[in-house]
Amino acid sequence: SCSPTAAPSTTSPGGSATGRCGPTTGCCRTTPSASTPPCGPPSGRCSPGARVVITPPGQKYDAKALVRLLEEEEITVYAAVPSLNSVLMEEPGIERCTKLRYVQSGAEALTGALQRSIFSRIKNAELINFYGPTETTVDSTAWVCERAEDPEAAPIGRPVANLTAYILDDNAQPVPAGVAGHICIAGTGLARGYHGRPGLTADRFVPDPFGTPGQRLYRTGDLGRYTAVGTIEFLGRADT
């Protein structure tokens, strides 16, 4: 069962429910090297021997060039934001990228329409929705989308290995399933704080009242709620 206090991790450290990357893996990134999107199933990173293909300058938003890159490099893991994926799925030839096994999405809402589009054009790939701010090393939760005839917008899922997600009210108390609250992240992925900004660090990185002594919790500023089965739905920013 899933507690509304803290969602359980989706994976064990160093592995995942669906497999790991290895020497036959080719990972394609469209994000800057300063960010760290996952390179494999949740939440596995590329194992030694896997290839990481960085999209060449000028081709990041060129759907035709991206399709050619995915096909020629035999990419198996591809990560991009939904707005880019929606354009990519309309590009002729995307069906030829038969080596794709994992399509990863994040930073924007993953709609049901885009899920249908991806599944109809990439037959053998899993679609994974990620959520997480930079302050928690980017990837904090993950959800493996199901192939459904009429899918709803994807939730952000459950925490990845070594992280815990809480939905808290204004008094830092857990809220029940279905009630909106503040998304807070705890665990080993938290940053130390903001460089040269002790006040902001103290405001955002606070003691974890549910963890062991010395453990911290990051207040993301995002709103979410638990579903009846313990997954998290993203509801937007608290300051908008």
Side-chain angles (χ1 to χ4, degrees), residues 27-138:
C27 308
C28 181
R29 293 175 48 162
T30 60
T31 51
S33 58
S35 64
T36 55
C39 197
S43 60
R45 303 284 169 173
C46 279
S47 300
R51 295 180 299 117
V52 177
V53 178
I54 306 298
T55 308
Q59 296 185 16
K60 179 177 178 180
Y61 301 113
D62 185 335
K64 184 176 182 179
L66 281 174
V67 168
R68 184 169 60 250
L69 180 70
L70 294 175
E71 183 179 14
E72 292 178 353
E73 294 287 348
E74 297 187 337
I75 297 300
T76 53
V77 182
Y78 173 71
V81 297
S83 53
L84 179 55
N85 276 332
S86 63
V87 175
L88 191 65
M89 291 306 114
E90 298 300 322
E91 182 64 29
I94 187 65
E95 296 88 353
R96 296 196 302 269
C97 301
T98 56
K99 296 293 184 179
L100 276 173
R101 292 296 177 265
Y102 302 101
V103 176
Q104 300 176 341
S105 179
E108 300 169 359
L110 178 55
T111 65
L114 181 53
Q115 293 175 62
R116 287 195 302 273
S117 178
I118 292 173
F119 283 139
S120 68
R121 289 164 174 79
I122 304 177
K123 303 297 185 181
N124 299 317
E126 286 190 351
L127 174 59
I128 307 165
N129 192 35
F130 283 92
Y131 161 84
T134 302
E135 291 87 345
T136 62
T137 325
V138 182

Side-chain angles (χ1 to χ4, degrees), residues 144-160:
V144 179
C145 300
E146 299 178 355
R147 290 180 178 266
E149 184 174 333
D150 189 23
E152 298 180 350
I156 59 174
R158 296 185 173 94
V160 299

